[in-house]
Amino acid sequence: MLAPSSRPLSPHLTIWRWGPHMLVSILHRITGAGLAIVGGLALLWWLWAAADGRDSYDYFVSWATHWTGIVVGIGLTWAFLQHTASGIRHLVMDVGAGFELTTNKRWSTIVAIVPLVLAALFWAYIIFGDQL
């Protein structure tokens, strides 16, 4: 009979330590789904309102400029930037670079922070641009 191994039989969330690379990978999937569903529905609503006439478009604009529409817009902007940055990270890894643990964690941390900063700057410019 073989001696019990100290290695796990299969990867599991209770075995692996969480790190930024795992967070970025999960966020990539979540933001992709969010962009497809929420972003797709918002895009379809905007196109429908533009094609339906002035009253429909004015209603869409009133919703989009309401605080809830702005929150959705900020979320979609962050999701787009996060998904793009994570996709670039995955592209770099697909060519075989960035697999070293310290490099992977460093780039994952950068990929998690940069979209937040860019989305904040973008929306600060949109909301407060005329006051700057």
Side-chain angles (χ1 to χ4, degrees):
M1 181 175 256
L2 297 173
S5 173
S6 62
R7 293 178 50 200
L9 296 176
S10 65
H12 192 267
L13 295 176
T14 60
I15 295 169
W16 299 104
R17 279 192 340 198
W18 278 87
H21 51 292
M22 295 172 82
L23 172 69
V24 169
S25 180
I26 290 169
L27 281 177
H28 185 73
R29 294 168 191 242
I30 292 170
T31 56
L35 286 169
I37 296 168
V38 178
L41 290 174
L43 176 65
L44 286 175
W45 184 16
W46 174 67
L47 289 171
W48 186 284
D52 197 34
R54 183 164 184 85
D55 291 337
S56 294
Y57 194 76
D58 287 343
Y59 179 71
F60 173 82
V61 169
S62 71
W63 180 87
T65 56
H66 188 263
W67 70 268
T68 54
I70 292 173
V71 168
V72 170
I74 291 170
L76 286 173
T77 304
W78 169 79
F80 173 75
L81 294 169
Q82 177 67 44
H83 196 75
T84 302
S86 182
I88 292 169
R89 176 181 166 265
H90 279 282
L91 180 65
V92 169
M93 292 177 70
D94 284 344
V95 298
F99 278 102
E100 299 80 19
L101 190 56
T102 55
T103 304
N104 195 339
K105 285 184 178 182
R106 183 180 327 111
W107 282 107
S108 297
T109 304
I110 291 169
V111 163
I113 293 171
V114 167
L116 286 171
V117 173
L118 290 177
L121 289 173
F122 178 77
W123 278 92
Y125 178 75
I126 288 176
I127 295 171
F128 306 112
D130 56 342
Q131 300 170 4
L132 298 176

